[in-house]
Amino acid sequence: MRLKPVLRRPWQPRHALLALPLCLIAVVTVVDILSPPEVHLGPLLVAAPAVTAAIGGAGLVAAVGALAVVAQLVVGVVRRGWPLTLNHEMQILSLAIVTAVIATFCYLRERRERELAQVRSVSEAAQRVVLRPLPRRLGPLKVASVYLAAEAEAHIGGDLFAAARVGVVTRMIIGDVRGKGLSSISDAALLLGAFREAAHHHADLSGLTRYLEGSVTRDLAELTETDQRAEEDFITAAVLEIPDHEPVIHVINCGHPPPLLVRGHHVTPLLADQPETPLGLGEFSNPSYTPDVFPLEADDIVLLYTDGVIEARDREGIFYPLAERITSWAAGDPETLVRWIRDDLLAYSGGSLGDDAAMIALQRAPTVSSLDLG
């Protein structure tokens, strides 16, 4: 007969803190018994379950409270005998009521924590499905990305990005859905799905962007049938293409903040000659979707971002000056850049963003090996 091993919970530092309320009960009990008749220290026992609430749950609070009630009963019997005086009876009743109240609040706190853990788990799963992390290498490009949710317990919102390798080119999209809540996540998921599929079936960037415009327009039209607010929705986006063998980057900007070209300590916005309307509004402007071509030399870094970055404010209400802040950054790779901006942005805004923020940094490697092109 094999004995099953006994599973023990790992020791945690908070377990040692349990000695504090237990010692408090012991000390108050002994001192109260030894004190003169006119001195009553029993009411101090209420501190034991109160302290326990900071280190344990409802069950532990109830157990410590029950131990405190027993201690109060012992004090009453030793000092006054049986039956207890009315004073000790009221002290015991008060201690029991306070313990019950504290335990109830602990239970509600634990339930809230479980709910938040479930929400966090669901949002993390949604992020992995909808907003897949970008690989660190795409052909000759080094890539880094970061997503900052405005809501503390959320991990995904209306900001989006994706990339696809198509032959000897890399295609990317970054966008921001107007609106908030589940509808914005739905719109983001639809656009990302359309991009990931269409990126491999359109020969040029213009055709790809035109397809995305049609996809978003159809989706918003369907949403309008059940939600009239969808009539005002749209998606700003920048769609890019970077060929492996040419030192250039092709950009179609659909109402999105312009990418920034970082070359040493110089930052240059890649402004479109003819900016297009956001996706979902193309029927009102008849867009041409002609790509703008910008140079992209070895070691240059292109930073893509959503308006949640540049609309973050400090305590005085001043917007985050992204381009100016980057000029003080010590040159490096895309990973260090997005981490530096993330930390600087959170410090600038006091850790509170008014909107979700997403960033992608890409850099063409100095040399292109046959492995990179595969």
Side-chain angles (χ1 to χ4, degrees), residues 40 76 80-81 83-91:
H40 300 281
R80 300 294 183 180
L84 299 176
T85 64
L86 181 61
N87 181 39
H88 276 95
E89 289 178 352
M90 291 298 100
Q91 290 183 25

Side-chain angles (χ1 to χ4, degrees), residues 269-294:
L270 303 182
L271 300 174
D273 290 336
Q274 183 179 352
E276 306 292 356
T277 55
L279 300 178
L281 302 178
E283 60 181 326
F284 302 109
S285 62
N286 191 27
S288 63
Y289 295 128
T290 302
D292 292 285
V293 183
F294 303 96

Side-chain angles (χ1 to χ4, degrees), residues 140-279:
L141 301 176
K142 297 179 181 179
V143 181
S145 61
V146 65
Y147 191 103
L148 298 173
E151 298 294 335
E153 300 302 332
H155 290 263
I156 186 172
D159 289 5
L160 58 98
F161 53 72
R165 282 288 293 169
V166 184
V168 293
V169 301
T170 300
R171 287 176 171 174
M172 286 189 178
I173 185 172
I174 186 168
D176 185 3
V177 180
R178 181 196 176 278
K180 298 182 181 295
L182 294 178
S183 61
S184 67
I185 299 177
S186 174
D187 294 340
L190 180 134
L191 178 57
L192 289 172
F195 171 82
R196 290 170 181 142
E197 179 64 23
H200 298 275
H201 297 287
H202 289 269
D204 55 40
L205 201 60
S206 297
L208 170 61
T209 308
R210 190 169 289 106
Y211 174 84
L212 297 178
E213 161 62 29
S215 179
V216 171
T217 299
R218 289 190 299 271
D219 177 60
L220 294 180
E222 294 177 359
L223 288 177
T224 302
E225 298 177 0
T226 57
D227 186 357
Q228 294 298 322
R229 292 175 297 180
E231 293 180 351
E232 302 176 357
D233 289 348
F234 54 82
I235 304 177
T236 67
V239 189
L240 304 89
E241 183 175 272
I242 307 98
D244 292 350
H245 303 296
E246 298 179 58
V248 295
I249 180 172
H250 303 262
V251 181
I252 296 179
N253 194 320
C254 300
H256 200 74
L260 298 178
L261 177 65
V262 183
R263 181 174 295 168
H265 292 284
H266 299 282
V267 180
T268 305
L270 303 182
L271 300 174
D273 290 336
Q274 183 179 352
E276 306 292 356
T277 55
L279 300 178

Side-chain angles (χ1 to χ4, degrees), residues 302-334:
V302 173
L303 178 67
L304 313 173
Y305 55 95
T306 59
D307 58 9
V309 177
I310 56 177
E311 292 180 358
R313 299 171 182 261
D314 62 7
R315 294 181 178 179
E316 298 179 357
I318 301 175
F319 289 119
Y320 181 72
L322 176 61
E324 296 178 13
R325 307 286 280 203
I326 295 178
T327 58
S328 62
W329 170 67
D333 57 15

